């Protein structure tokens, strides 16, 4: 499409005489294009000169601007080194002219204008590098390189930084480059290669920056590591070592936009991948806010840009309400959360804002406003630079100069001033509050005890650094004010003290709290209710990231969604160990979420039990896939049909508490295959045994992010004496001929969690058939009675508040439920459904109701107690917040009422279980009588 057909706006000729002269000098353009060109000439002496110089080319270019751009960019391909500078300067003139007219006429949006300028810069850098390296190779200066290596610049790459990296070059922009080379291509000859690449870099910048008859791009190499003392081209290893040891926040921000633009772009991409942990931290990084704020203030100090916003002389890039404010606002939020969410790592400012809004890090209306403001600011910036091709960002200091820029923007001077000031002030309002730290508030009056406790905070590891102390000074009053709202402020303060004492470092967590006041409320709530959870948080503070980054307070997603999310989260990790560690971090965040929802009354103990089980199932399924894949890579695919992983006990019944371990067994079907076929093949039995051990290690090993779960495999055939993985034939034979009654009881809750689908179906079918057959044996009730007696001897109740152990409590009720399911041949796994299976048959209706009612009370009490502490529940040692939580969960009015309800439930349940299974002194259960 022609330019004439797309013109939607034109400047106002500031200098009518210059506009009239252009009309007289140039002929053969469509009227719409001539109007645009004349108005442009009346505002920009620079563009007037270009139009006159390139008039013949321009007549054809305006007929199809995109085709003209493509032809111009390819014109310098394959030229010799001596012809390249002149060709690139001509390309620069033409692209600058075409982009300006398409911009001023509204034919191209901002992104297309800056994209055209960036494409020219990419082409110029790449052609310069490859051509100059070819010369070095021809002269024998690059050790071991052949002419074929010139296409990739012999392993040298230029990284485009800043606006060039993002495809956002402004009209008269310089280009920020970091030049590196792949030292692994020159083993033992790195110094000779480096000397050659340094020479190439200097000659490239000379070609691009030479001002003979125009210039291509001013080039800036100062963003490289430690630029004051390092050469202009470094090895990738040296650069990586620098960023790992000394990299600063501003350098992390710079690498958000980094992109290989010339030379060996594949090597450049590999280098950028190695920097991912440096740029994108795995924790939410709110310290970046303070770093960005400090940098803003240093820039303003250096440039003298403090003071009120005015039109004359205002710096559109660095001044208050300017372009850099929007860029910093976007990049800082990307640095905060981009480590956890790769979808936020957009190089462009507009794309970054859109991604942040989509994920809830920026309100949608704020992102929309900043995007509009950013585009408007960039257009003003372009017109400032188009006047005389000057690398300026500042508005003129004279009234006449302002009037020229207003006309260039197609406005009257008054309208321009009004609109510009409005945009600058809106930008300042939207961004300033995010960066500027709050003032230190006055804290509440403290008791003598509280003053003693808080005095000790200064000595804690988390407050060693000056930076941590500065942030904490602003945070401390807010913490203490929230503590004053607790049921017992002094108790909550002691718990908070334990949290602070356990923190190994403070800058990150204090910055997180300062930026997110709701977290202060949450941590105080936890300290006042569950001190053990607060101590856990001090060792695992990273789980608080989940409260900020995502749908922490949303509906429960279920196993399938959790499984998909975990698989996606760990997929980018570079290796098996890293994926396991990432899975631990993810699991902890979700585990913490369940606990907080339970503590806050958003879910009850039964919902929490299901959520913990869903989480464990998702983790086990993903880790099973990872472990089996990693094992197969080393030893070959599973021999035969494969294996299944079975959850037993509470895992099989899909009800866990905050501290549950996982009961698992593995069953495989080798189908007569004797071994695996892989790089290190194994015989079938050791294959599955070692695979199972690998799975257990994957779940239980202590890694930097902790462990996933404790695993118990004692419910496999023959317990500890049997192999860790059991063949299908051995399993079925054992269950039919050798298994004890307690092992059949265990099967009432068995559930396949992962593995080969047909084998899973076969195992489930066998389970159902076996329960129907074995439940009819005469020894079921006597065996259960003996087992019950042994359990009560080995695990008696640990006090009146123990809801799990002892007669009439959870384990006793679960034993009765499994017994009714076995006798009834029911496939049910949950306690409630198992009891229902025997109601009116093995159990009188009254006993079934007594057991179900007691179980509901016991589970609510047990689930709450395990959230508060790993130790046995001691009512006297609980704080007021913890007691209130338990009373709310159990529905009791006070401790006396709860103790009374608990005693009645235990008595009733104990009697019901005894009537079902009998005793070991010869009395038998009386069935339904």
């Amino acid at each position: 499409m022609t330019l004439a057909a797309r013109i939607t706006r034109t400047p106002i000729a500031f200098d009518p005489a210059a506009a009239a002269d252009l009309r007289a000098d140039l002929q053969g353009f469509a009227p719409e294009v001539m109007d645009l060109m004349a108005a442009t000439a009346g505002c920009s002496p620079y563009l007037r000169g270009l139009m006159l110089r390139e008039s013949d080319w321009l007549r054809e270019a305006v007929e199809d601007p995109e085709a003209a751009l493509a032809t111009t960019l390819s014109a310098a391909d394959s030229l010799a080194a001596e012809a390249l500078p002149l060709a690139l300067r001509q390309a620069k003139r033409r692209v600058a002219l075409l982009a300006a007219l398409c911009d001023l006429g509204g034919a191209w949006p901002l992104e297309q204008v800056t994209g055209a300028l960036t494409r020219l810069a990419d082409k110029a850098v790449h052609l310069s590098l490859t051509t100059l390296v070819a010369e070095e190779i021809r002269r024998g200066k690059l050790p071991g390189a052949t002419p074929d290596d010139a296409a990739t610049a012999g392993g040298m790459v230029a990284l485009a930084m800043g606006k060039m990296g993002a495809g956002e070059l402004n009209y008269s922009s310089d280009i920020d480059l970091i030049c590196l080379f792949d030292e692994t291509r020159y083993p033992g000859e790195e110094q000779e290669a480096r000397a050659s690449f340094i020479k190439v870099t200097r000659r490239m910048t000379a070609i691009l920056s030479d001002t003979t008859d125009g210039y291509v791009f001013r080039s800036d190499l100062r963003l490289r590591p430690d630029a004051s003392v390092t050469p202009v081209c470094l090895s990738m290893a040296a650069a990586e070592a620098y960023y790992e040891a000394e990299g600063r926040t501003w350098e992390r921000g710079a690498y958000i936009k980094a992109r290989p633009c010339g030379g060996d772009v594949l090597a450049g991409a590999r280098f950028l991948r190695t920097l991912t942990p440096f740029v994108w931290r795995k924790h939410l990084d709110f310290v970046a806010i303070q770093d960005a704020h400090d940098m803003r203030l240093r820039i303003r100090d250096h440039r003298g840009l403090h003071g009120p916003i005015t039109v004359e002389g205002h710096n559109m890039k660095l001044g208050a309400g300017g372009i850099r404010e929007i860029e910093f606002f976007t990049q800082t939020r990307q640095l905060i959360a981009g480590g956890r969410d790769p979808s936020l790592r957009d190089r462009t400012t507009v794309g970054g804002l859109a991604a942040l809004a989509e994920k809830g890090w920026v309100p949608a209306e704020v992102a929309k406003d900043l995007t509009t403001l950013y585009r408007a600011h960039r257009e003003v910036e372009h017109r400032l630079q188009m006047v005389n091709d000057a690398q300026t960002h500042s508005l003129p200091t004279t009234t006449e100069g302002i009037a020229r820029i207003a006309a260039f923007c197609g406005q009257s001077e008054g309208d321009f001033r009004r609109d510009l000031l409005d945009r600058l002030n809106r930008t300042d309002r939207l961004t300033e509050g995010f960066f500027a730290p709050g003032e230190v508030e006055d804290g509440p009056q403290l008791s003598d005890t509280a003053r003693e406790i808080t005095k000790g905070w200064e000595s804690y590891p988390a407050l060693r650094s000056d930076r941590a102390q500065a942030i904490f000074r602003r945070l401390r009053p807010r913490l203490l004010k929230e503590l004053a709202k607790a049921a017992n402020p002094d108790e909550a303060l002691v718990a908070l003290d334990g949290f602070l004492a356990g923190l190994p470092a403070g800058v990150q967590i204090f910055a997180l709290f300062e930026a997110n006041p709701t977290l202060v409320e949450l941590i105080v709530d936890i300290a006042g209710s569950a001190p053990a959870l607060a101590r856990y948080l001090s060792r695992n503070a990273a789980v608080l990231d989940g409260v900020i980054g995502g749908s922490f307070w949303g509906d429960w997603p279920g196993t399938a969604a959790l499984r998909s999310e975990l698989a996606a989260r760990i997929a980018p990790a570079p290796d098996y160990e890293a994926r396991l560690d990432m899975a631990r971090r993810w699991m902890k965040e979700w585990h913490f979420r369940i606990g907080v929802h339970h503590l806050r009354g958003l879910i009850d103990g039964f919902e929490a039990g299901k959520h913990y089980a869903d989480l464990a199932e998702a983790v086990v399924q993903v880790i099973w896939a990872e472990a089996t894949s990693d094992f197969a890579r080393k030893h070959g695919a599973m021999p035969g049909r494969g294996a299944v992983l079975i959850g037993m006990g509470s895992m099989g019944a899909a009800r866990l508490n905050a501290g549950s371990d996982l009961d698992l067994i593995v069953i495989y079907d080798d189908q007569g295959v004797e071994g695996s076929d892989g790089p290190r093949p194994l015989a079938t039995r050791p294959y599955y045994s070692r695979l199972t051990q690998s799975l257990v290690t994957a779940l239980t090993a202590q890694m930097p992010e902790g462990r996933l779960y404790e695993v118990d495999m004692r419910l496999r055939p023959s317990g500890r004496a049997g192999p860790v993985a059991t063949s299908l034939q051995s399993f079925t034979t054992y269950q039919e001929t050798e298994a004890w009654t307690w092992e059949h009881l265990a099967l009432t809750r068995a559930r396949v969690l992962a593995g080969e689908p047909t084998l899973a179906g076969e195992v489930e079918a066998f389970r159902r058939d076996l329960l129907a057959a074995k439940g009819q044996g005469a020894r079921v009730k006597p065996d259960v009675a003996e087992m019950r007696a042994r359990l009560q001897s080995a695990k008696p109740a640990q006090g009146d508040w123990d809801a799990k152990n002892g007669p009439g409590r959870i384990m006793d009720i679960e034993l009765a439920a499994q017994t009714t399911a076995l006798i009834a041949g029911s496939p049910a796994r949950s306690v409630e459904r198992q009891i229902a299976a025997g109601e009116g048959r093995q159990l009188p209706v009254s006993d079934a109701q007594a057991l179900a009612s007691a179980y509901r009370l016991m589970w609510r009490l047990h689930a709450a107690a395990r959230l508060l502490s790993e130790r046995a529940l001691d009512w006297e040692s609980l704080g007021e917040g913890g007691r209130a939580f338990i009373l709310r969960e159990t529905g009791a009015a006070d401790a006396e009422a709860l103790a009374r309800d608990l005693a009645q439930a235990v008595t009733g349940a104990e009697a019901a279980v005894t009537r079902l299974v009998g005793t070991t002194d010869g009395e038998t259960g009386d069935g339904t009588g």
Side-chain angles (χ1 to χ4, degrees), residues 5 10 82 149 179 216 271 381 440 486 531 579 763 812 828 869 893:
T10 58
E82 58 272 14
D149 292 320
C179 293
V216 188
F271 173 75
E381 177 189 46
V440 177
R579 287 192 289 277
V763 168
D812 206 24
S869 175

Side-chain angles (χ1 to χ4, degrees), residues 111-187:
E111 288 77 11
Q112 196 168 353
V113 174
T114 59
L117 296 168
T118 304
R119 287 172 63 190
L120 173 65
D122 287 355
K123 175 68 75 169
V125 170
H126 182 69
L127 286 178
S128 298
L129 281 184
T130 54
T131 302
L132 293 171
V133 169
E135 284 290 296
E136 290 292 292
I137 293 172
R138 185 181 62 78
R139 295 168 55 220
K141 297 296 185 180
L142 198 56
T146 69
D148 290 341
D149 292 320
T152 57
M156 180 181 175
V157 65
L159 299 179
M161 309 296 288
K163 286 184 169 62
M164 183 179 175
E168 298 173 337
L169 280 181
N170 58 48
Y171 191 75
S172 297
S173 182
D174 60 0
I175 56 175
D176 294 305
L177 300 172
I178 293 178
C179 293
L180 306 169
F181 71 94
D182 182 0
E183 74 288 345
T184 63
R185 293 177 64 163
Y186 304 95

Side-chain angles (χ1 to χ4, degrees), residues 227-241:
S228 62
V229 296
T230 56
V232 291
C233 185
L234 293 83
S235 71
M236 292 180 180
E240 183 180 353

Side-chain angles (χ1 to χ4, degrees), residues 8-145:
T8 61
R9 63 188 182 188
T10 58
I12 300 169
F14 177 73
D15 182 351
D21 287 347
L22 189 84
R23 286 182 185 275
D25 292 338
L26 295 183
Q27 304 295 324
F29 289 91
E32 299 89 348
V33 175
M34 180 50 70
D35 289 344
L36 171 64
M37 292 168 58
T40 298
C43 294
S44 168
Y46 167 68
L47 289 174
R48 179 177 180 275
L50 287 186
M51 285 186 281
L52 292 171
R53 180 171 183 174
E54 297 290 345
S55 59
D56 293 339
W57 171 83
L58 187 58
R59 285 188 184 89
E60 184 178 341
V62 296
E63 295 304 308
D64 189 342
E66 286 76 17
L69 175 64
T71 302
T72 302
L73 291 177
S74 62
D77 292 349
S78 304
L79 291 179
E82 58 272 14
L84 186 62
L86 185 62
L88 289 177
R89 288 197 287 274
Q90 181 187 67
K92 173 61 182 292
R93 288 195 302 273
R94 292 178 172 179
V95 172
L97 176 56
L98 184 65
L101 291 176
C102 289
D103 181 0
L104 293 166
W108 285 358
L110 173 67
E111 288 77 11
Q112 196 168 353
V113 174
T114 59
L117 296 168
T118 304
R119 287 172 63 190
L120 173 65
D122 287 355
K123 175 68 75 169
V125 170
H126 182 69
L127 286 178
S128 298
L129 281 184
T130 54
T131 302
L132 293 171
V133 169
E135 284 290 296
E136 290 292 292
I137 293 172
R138 185 181 62 78
R139 295 168 55 220
K141 297 296 185 180
L142 198 56

Side-chain angles (χ1 to χ4, degrees), residues 274-313:
T274 67
L275 291 193
T276 297
F278 163 67
V279 180
W280 304 108
R281 303 290 168 82
K282 62 184 178 180
H283 304 302
L284 291 180
D285 186 16
F286 283 91
V287 175
I289 297 175
Q290 184 68 47
D291 288 339
H293 179 62
D294 292 344
M295 188 183 301
R296 291 165 70 242
L297 295 183
R298 285 196 298 272
I299 291 171
R300 290 186 186 179
D301 289 342
H302 179 67
R303 302 269 182 163
L305 298 175
H306 293 287
I309 296 175
T310 58
V311 174
E312 275 81 4

Side-chain angles (χ1 to χ4, degrees), residues 54 79 96 98 174 182 192 210 250 262 285 287 347 362 403 410 425 443 482 489 515 562 565 569 687 711 753 814:
E54 297 290 345
L79 291 179
L98 184 65
D174 60 0
D182 182 0
E192 293 87 341
D210 182 26
W250 73 262
D285 186 16
V287 175
R347 289 189 179 98
V362 175
N425 282 299
E482 285 297 329
L562 289 169
E565 182 180 318
R569 175 73 72 88
Y687 182 100
V711 172
L753 303 176
E814 288 177 341

